[in-house]
Amino acid sequence: MPHSARPTVTLRDVAAAAGVSVSTASRVLGGSSRTVAEEYRQRVVSAAAALRYTADAAARAMRRANDSIAVVGDDLTTPSMGMVAAAMERRARDAGAFVTVSSTHGTAERQLETVRLQRALRPRALILTSSRLDTKALGGRLLDELLGYEREGGRVVIVGDTDMPFDSISFDNHGPAKELATYVAGAGHRHVTILAGARGQGNVSDRTAGFIAGLRHGGIEERHIRVSHCTVNRQGGFDAARRLVAEGLEPPHAILAANDTIAIGAMSAFRTAGVAVPDEVSVTGFDDIELAIDVTPRLTTVSLPLAQAGAEAVRLALADRTEAEHLMMRGQVVVRDSTAIRVV
């Protein structure tokens, strides 16, 4: 009677038996040059022997040849994303890897399409940067695709707010926004317009909520707080400020912009209209991009650790761990020349 074929043992089976991640098992059995803790290495080797695991040499060679970290971002043209990506590239180069970058324009469909393409290319790790990534996006299809990629030995890191079960780095947008708005209220401004960016965008929505909380805490009446939505770029800030000038700015007035590019656009519009910053209106931003100290007047803002987030994302992508790590980063208020103290 012929013997039945022995069931194929997969890398996932070995990882489960050893109690480690698929990526760790892959590094031990795939000849990776990256160091794995001796305890985990012994567990993987023992589990592979017990299960009679035989690695696929072709797949192992492909994994070893592809040392890229694929970064999937919403918008690659923003200064803040440029700071994050540059830090990622530096950290990856130091670790002997390299970074590729793709843009999704912030749509779930493009995110799914790009992840599927990258999964086929088998990068060493995937880093997704987005204001918000949800497990229920597209009926869970994006989550399924990312989980499938990790089962194959990859690593997923998310930079942004998420409820997905991967390594993640998020920013506290609400707390520093409240602190900045409290400062503006304390400086004597009694009429404030928030240039809030696009509706429903996670990070700028959290900043807007923080601004409102800080202004109320600082004693500004709700009827004197105006929220104006605009495109999240320089032109959006320019157009929004030009409309405010046409409608009239009640003194003492301040503009709280959801990010620095909006704020810089607004200052340009005020300058064009002959409205002096900060003599007639104070302006603040958020992010502390490099241009914030090059504009005149220098921009009061919230400095976020963007470069640190980029470097940490690559560290997480290359780390040997069995449990996901979640980091929360917080910015700090930086007062410069674009705000003035008003007589209360």
Side-chain angles (χ1 to χ4, degrees):
M1 183 175 178
H3 294 288
S4 59
R6 183 167 61 89
T8 301
V9 176
T10 67
L11 191 63
R12 186 181 180 187
D13 296 327
V14 175
V20 300
S21 69
V22 175
S23 58
T24 297
S26 175
R27 287 164 193 148
V28 173
L29 300 175
S32 172
S33 60
R34 286 175 288 169
T35 302
V36 175
E38 182 61 22
E39 174 191 354
Y40 295 138
R41 192 188 72 80
Q42 289 288 354
R43 282 159 55 178
V44 170
V45 170
S46 297
L51 295 172
R52 298 181 182 179
Y53 171 78
T54 302
D56 185 307
R60 184 170 65 244
M62 186 191 306
R63 280 194 295 272
R64 196 164 53 238
N66 191 351
D67 221 15
S68 68
I69 298 173
V71 177
V72 179
D74 286 352
D75 185 355
L76 307 183
T77 65
T78 64
S80 56
M81 181 61 199
M83 295 171 68
V84 172
M88 288 179 178
E89 195 279 330
R90 288 192 298 270
R91 184 65 180 261
R93 185 174 63 245
D94 291 342
F98 64 96
V99 170
T100 64
V101 186
S102 303
S103 175
T104 66
H105 305 293
T107 67
E109 292 79 7
R110 285 290 298 274
Q111 288 170 342
L112 178 61
E113 176 187 338
T114 305
V115 168
R116 281 177 174 167
L117 173 62
Q118 292 294 346
R119 184 178 173 185
L121 296 174
R122 300 177 68 90
R124 181 168 167 174
L126 270 175
I127 299 177
L128 282 73
T129 69
S130 184
S131 61
R132 177 74 192 178
L133 286 171
D134 292 308
T135 58
K136 296 181 180 179
L138 299 176
R141 285 183 291 156
L142 178 59
L143 174 62
D144 289 343
E145 200 71 28
L146 293 171
L147 288 171
Y149 168 72
E150 283 213 331
R151 285 194 297 269
E152 294 166 356
R155 190 64 168 263
V156 175
V157 179
I158 295 174
V159 180
D161 292 336
T162 187
D163 59 351
M164 291 186 177
F166 306 112
D167 291 304
S168 66
I169 299 172
S170 58
F171 295 97
D172 177 7
N173 287 292
H174 187 279
K178 180 179 179 181
E179 183 181 343
L180 177 60
T182 301
Y183 166 77
V184 167
H189 302 88
R190 286 298 172 262
H191 299 271
V192 178
T193 298
I194 299 170
L195 300 187
R199 296 179 186 272
Q201 188 170 332
N203 57 347
V204 295
S205 295
D206 288 345
R207 293 173 188 182
T208 298
F211 288 152
I212 293 173
L215 294 174
R216 289 174 176 168
H217 179 75
I220 297 182
E221 298 179 35
E222 190 166 350
R223 62 192 178 95
H224 292 159
I225 302 172
R226 175 179 176 178
V227 178
S228 177
H229 293 279
C230 63
T231 307
V232 186
N233 56 29
R234 181 188 178 282
Q235 189 63 47
F238 185 94
D239 293 341
R242 186 168 54 183
R243 288 192 298 270
L244 287 174
V245 172
E247 295 166 3
L249 293 168
E250 296 181 75
H253 209 103
I255 303 296
L256 300 182
N259 71 15
D260 289 346
T261 55
I262 295 174
I264 290 168
M267 288 200 298
S268 179
F270 290 139
R271 184 167 54 250
T272 299
V275 177
V277 177
D279 294 342
E280 296 177 75
V281 58
S282 290
V283 178
T284 71
F286 208 108
D287 285 340
D288 200 20
I289 62 175
E290 293 179 351
L291 191 58
I293 59 173
D294 291 329
V295 294
T296 303
R298 297 183 308 155
L299 184 63
T300 293
T301 187
V302 170
S303 179
L304 289 183
L306 298 170
Q308 181 185 355
E312 285 293 289
V314 172
R315 179 188 66 79
L316 292 175
L318 302 180
D320 288 308
R321 294 185 327 283
T322 57
E323 298 294 330
E325 188 172 341
H326 306 286
L327 305 179
M328 170 67 78
M329 296 194 169
R330 194 177 192 277
Q332 61 182 5
V333 173
V334 179
V335 177
R336 298 194 180 107
D337 307 327
S338 65
T339 51
I341 304 295
R342 309 301 184 194
V343 177
V344 180

